[in-house]
């Protein structure tokens, strides 16, 4: 499985030549050059995780591919055919198995409504929680995409999340709101957390990838 990090929260996963796109949002450069896309996963409705322009670019080349997201995404993206998924759901789309966790976005502030959010576990190996600290209970995570910077994120809580998941490997994502210094500091904290379980922290910049 080949996992590529793009700007901010966008990821692609390739298995057996097929591609899944996760969270193609507004902080990510226009997605081009994608090959054999079979599905799009949107963890929640915030624009840094999806935009009509990003969806249209993918759907123009791969019309009719399924889009998966929680109910909030289906409502926000009413002009698109979104298949609603909930925590506990499993979706099979060859060669991928998608399992969904969580259910709610992390709290930003008591004045801001909490929206739907799902974390996604791909082929029981790769996990991305969206904007949450949802634990994929019962899963042995080989690679974790761990958020490192956000209005809702406190680095100590992000460290606790990594400690709880205890992945074999992890890299930082959700990071476009950070300065270079802030990104490096956050990565260092997550590195410590993953190493406590004997894991390895990977530094991936936009366009860089890893295999598992």
């Amino acid at each position: 499985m080949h996992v590529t990090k793009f700007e901010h929260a966008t990821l692609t996963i390739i298995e057996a030549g097929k591609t899944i796109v996760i969270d193609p949002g507004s902080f990510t450069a226009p997605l081009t050059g994608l090959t054999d896309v079979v599905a799009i996963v949107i963890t929640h409705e915030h624009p840094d995780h999806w935009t009509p322009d990003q969806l249209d670019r993918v759907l123009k080349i791969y019309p009719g591919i399924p889009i998966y997201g929680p109910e909030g995404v289906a409502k926000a993206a009413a002009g698109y055919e979104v298949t609603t998924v909930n925590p506990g759901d499993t979706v099979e789309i060859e060669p991928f198995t998608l399992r969904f966790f969580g259910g709610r976005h992390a709290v930003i502030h008591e004045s801001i409504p909490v929206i739907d959010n799902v974390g996604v576990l791909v082929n029981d190996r790769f996990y991305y929680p969206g904007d949450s600290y949802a634990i994929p209970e019962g899963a042995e995570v080989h690679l974790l995409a761990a958020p490192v910077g956000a209005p809702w994120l406190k680095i100590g809580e992000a460290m606790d999340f990594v400690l709880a998941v205890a992945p074999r490997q992890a890299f930082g994502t959700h990071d476009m709101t950070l300065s270079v210094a802030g990104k490096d500091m956050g990565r260092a904290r997550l590195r410590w957390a993953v190493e406590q379980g004997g894991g390895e922290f990977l530094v991936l910049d936009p366009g860089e990838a890893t295999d598992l």
Side-chain angles (χ1 to χ4, degrees):
M1 195 154 60
H2 188 73
V3 179
T4 302
K5 173 186 163 40
F6 292 85
E7 294 90 352
H8 200 54
T10 303
L11 307 161
T12 61
I13 304 170
I14 300 175
E15 179 84 276
K18 307 294 184 180
T19 302
I20 281 182
V21 178
I22 299 177
D23 281 0
S26 59
F27 293 167
T28 303
L31 293 174
T32 60
L34 302 177
T35 58
D36 211 349
V37 178
V38 296
I40 299 170
V41 175
I42 302 172
T43 61
H44 64 282
E45 65 201 70
H46 286 159
D48 58 323
H49 291 257
W50 84 281
T51 67
D53 286 347
Q54 293 281 34
L55 290 188
D56 289 345
R57 288 186 189 96
V58 179
L59 294 173
K60 182 177 180 180
I61 302 172
Y62 300 101
I65 61 171
I67 302 169
Y68 299 104
E71 184 178 357
V73 169
K75 291 178 179 178
Y80 299 88
E81 292 187 17
V82 177
T83 299
T84 300
V85 289
N86 298 293
D89 287 351
T90 298
V91 171
E92 302 279 353
I93 180 160
E94 194 64 32
F96 299 101
T97 299
L98 309 177
R99 297 171 57 199
F100 295 94
F101 295 85
R104 304 299 281 168
H105 192 287
V107 174
I108 300 171
H109 186 264
E110 62 182 10
S111 66
I112 300 174
V114 178
I115 62 171
D116 296 330
N117 179 94
V118 289
V120 59
L121 179 69
V122 182
N123 289 354
D124 290 323
R125 289 181 285 166
F126 170 78
Y127 183 61
Y128 173 57
D131 282 12
S132 79
Y133 299 123
I135 306 297
E137 299 292 349
E140 182 180 345
V141 176
H142 293 236
L143 179 64
L144 172 67
V148 69
W152 50 269
L153 187 147
K154 178 180 177 181
I155 195 63
E157 294 173 348
M159 294 165 70
D160 285 341
F161 168 68
V162 174
L163 288 168
V165 176
R168 296 184 187 179
Q169 292 183 313
F171 65 91
T173 188
H174 207 283
D175 52 14
M176 283 293 283
T177 60
L178 298 178
S179 66
V180 172
K183 187 183 300 185
D184 288 345
M185 182 179 67
R187 285 171 168 173
R189 299 292 184 264
L190 297 189
R191 180 188 301 277
W192 176 89
V194 74
E195 288 177 350
Q196 301 315 294
E200 176 189 14
F201 187 81
L202 308 176
V203 174
L204 297 183
D205 288 316
E208 295 182 339
T210 187
D211 293 306
L212 70 156

